[in-house]
Amino acid sequence: MKSLFDAVSFKCSKLVTKNYSSSFSIAVKMLSPSIRDAIYSIYGFVRFADEIVDSFHEYEKEYLIADFEKEYYKAMELGISLNPILNSFQHTVKQYNITDDLVQAFLKSMKLDLIKSTYNTQTEYADYIYGSADVVGLMCLKVFVCGKEHKYEQLKNEAMRLGSAFQKVNFLRDLKDDNTILNRTYFPGVNLNNFNEDAKEQIIKEIEEDFRIAYQGIVKLPIEAKFGVYTAYVYYRKLLKKLKNTPYYEIGNSRIRVSNYTKAGLLAQSFVTYKLKLV
């Protein structure tokens, strides 16, 4: 039965989320059960595309990402894909009216990772982040507001700023690996050779402003989504604080993490804050 295959597909997306990101998986569990599968499906789609361009070095990445895109549109046309990740995602796209411009912007940024290693201008940097992160926030927002266009437009800017904040925190955390393994430099004018405390502080100031604006949207989210998004926000704010308190040379030589023990404490803190209606 197709319904059984669809259920298995969504479970595959959930498995991808759980194995690739314990932090995001925890946040999704804090969402209403009615929207969790849709968010898992979005994560599965963007994670697979990201893995193609970041990890599959021994394979022809250009072919794989092109085939992934081709199979997605085939799934949209047929209403089914034997790739369970694409099958679950196409269901979510249709159910919540996720527009194709968002999907195309995301895939464009993923393809840029195959041909572009340095972002020299603020415009190039902003365009990449829009496609790699902002539109993912917008896809999730479509689910959070159950496709209600007026609510989507109301929270659109804040959702994009939250996506930007998450992505920039990841860039700062992964500065060493992006430079030494993937040979990429996302922050304009910043690489391991000229990274210093001033550069770090400027980046952090930019991220803090993204978080400030994003929070204004979190408090307006529907109850089904608010606690889960707030949990992710709290985790990333903690990671940013650790980066802020870490000397620039350590960021350039190691990967800063938040321990599982700390994550558990942050979850408890978020729950209390949420229950006291402080968010």
Side-chain angles (χ1 to χ4, degrees), residues 60-78:
E60 191 176 341
K61 296 178 181 180
E62 291 84 356
Y63 172 82
L64 291 177
I65 194 70
D67 188 61
F68 188 70
E69 180 177 6
K70 176 183 175 183
E71 289 300 312
Y72 163 68
Y73 282 108
K74 188 186 295 185
M76 287 293 289
E77 179 184 355
L78 299 177

Side-chain angles (χ1 to χ4, degrees), residues 164-176:
S164 289
F166 287 173
Q167 182 71 298
K168 292 170 188 176
V169 170
N170 288 338
F171 285 165
L172 187 57
R173 178 197 62 190
D174 298 338
L175 188 66
K176 175 179 177 291

Side-chain angles (χ1 to χ4, degrees), residues 9-256:
S9 296
F10 279 106
K11 286 180 180 179
C12 287
S13 294
K14 179 179 179 180
L15 185 64
V16 169
T17 307
K18 181 178 179 180
N19 280 274
Y20 276 99
S21 178
S22 59
S23 302
F24 190 76
S25 184
I26 290 171
V28 177
K29 288 179 182 177
M30 301 305 110
L31 299 171
S32 167
S34 64
I35 60 174
R36 285 178 200 163
D37 279 349
I39 300 302
Y40 285 135
S41 74
I42 292 171
Y43 183 88
F45 177 80
V46 301
R47 170 52 63 183
F48 268 29
D50 192 58
E51 284 302 299
I52 289 171
V53 300
D54 280 0
S55 301
F56 300 159
H57 307 305
E58 63 270 40
Y59 301 97
E60 191 176 341
K61 296 178 181 180
E62 291 84 356
Y63 172 82
L64 291 177
I65 194 70
D67 188 61
F68 188 70
E69 180 177 6
K70 176 183 175 183
E71 289 300 312
Y72 163 68
Y73 282 108
K74 188 186 295 185
M76 287 293 289
E77 179 184 355
L78 299 177
I80 189 173
S81 173
L82 294 183
N83 178 329
I85 302 304
L86 293 179
N87 187 58
S88 63
F89 183 62
Q90 62 92 17
H91 272 286
T92 297
V93 168
K94 292 174 180 176
Q95 181 177 353
Y96 293 97
N97 191 31
I98 294 174
T99 53
D100 192 55
D101 62 298
L102 301 181
V103 178
Q104 274 298 305
F106 171 74
L107 291 172
K108 178 183 176 183
S109 282
M110 293 300 98
K111 293 172 190 174
L112 279 175
D113 277 336
L114 298 177
I115 61 174
K116 191 172 179 64
S117 60
T118 304
Y119 292 80
N120 296 309
T121 69
Q122 195 65 31
T123 298
E124 290 178 343
Y125 171 61
D127 286 347
Y128 178 84
I129 287 180
Y130 172 76
S132 66
D134 294 5
V135 298
V136 179
L138 293 177
M139 291 181 199
C140 292
L141 181 60
K142 286 277 189 177
V143 176
F144 296 154
V145 301
C146 294
K148 295 184 178 70
E149 195 61 28
H150 69 284
K151 191 71 172 176
Y152 174 79
E153 290 297 329
Q154 179 187 356
L155 298 174
K156 185 176 179 180
N157 180 57
E158 290 87 344
M160 291 169 62
R161 295 299 285 264
L162 187 61
S164 289
F166 287 173
Q167 182 71 298
K168 292 170 188 176
V169 170
N170 288 338
F171 285 165
L172 187 57
R173 178 197 62 190
D174 298 338
L175 188 66
K176 175 179 177 291
D177 287 349
D178 284 340
N179 275 261
T180 60
I181 298 176
L182 298 175
N183 192 33
R184 293 184 197 147
T185 301
Y186 291 109
F187 296 117
V190 176
N191 56 49
L192 281 181
N193 296 324
N194 64 9
F195 188 57
N196 55 39
E197 198 64 28
D198 287 341
K200 188 195 83 170
E201 289 301 320
Q202 184 177 347
I203 292 167
I204 288 175
K205 184 177 179 180
E206 179 183 322
I207 298 171
E208 288 177 335
E209 179 62 11
D210 285 333
F211 272 130
R212 184 188 70 80
I213 294 174
Y215 182 80
Q216 298 171 10
I218 292 173
V219 298
K220 299 174 185 175
L221 283 170
I223 191 171
E224 291 85 358
K226 186 183 293 186
F227 181 44
V229 178
Y230 179 67
T231 299
Y233 165 87
V234 168
Y235 165 73
Y236 268 90
R237 284 300 302 261
K238 179 65 175 181
L239 182 54
L240 180 64
K241 185 176 181 180
K242 285 200 70 172
L243 290 164
K244 188 173 184 176
N245 293 332
T246 300
Y248 75 91
Y249 50 84
E250 288 188 23
I251 294 176
N253 289 291
S254 60
R255 194 172 191 264
I256 307 303

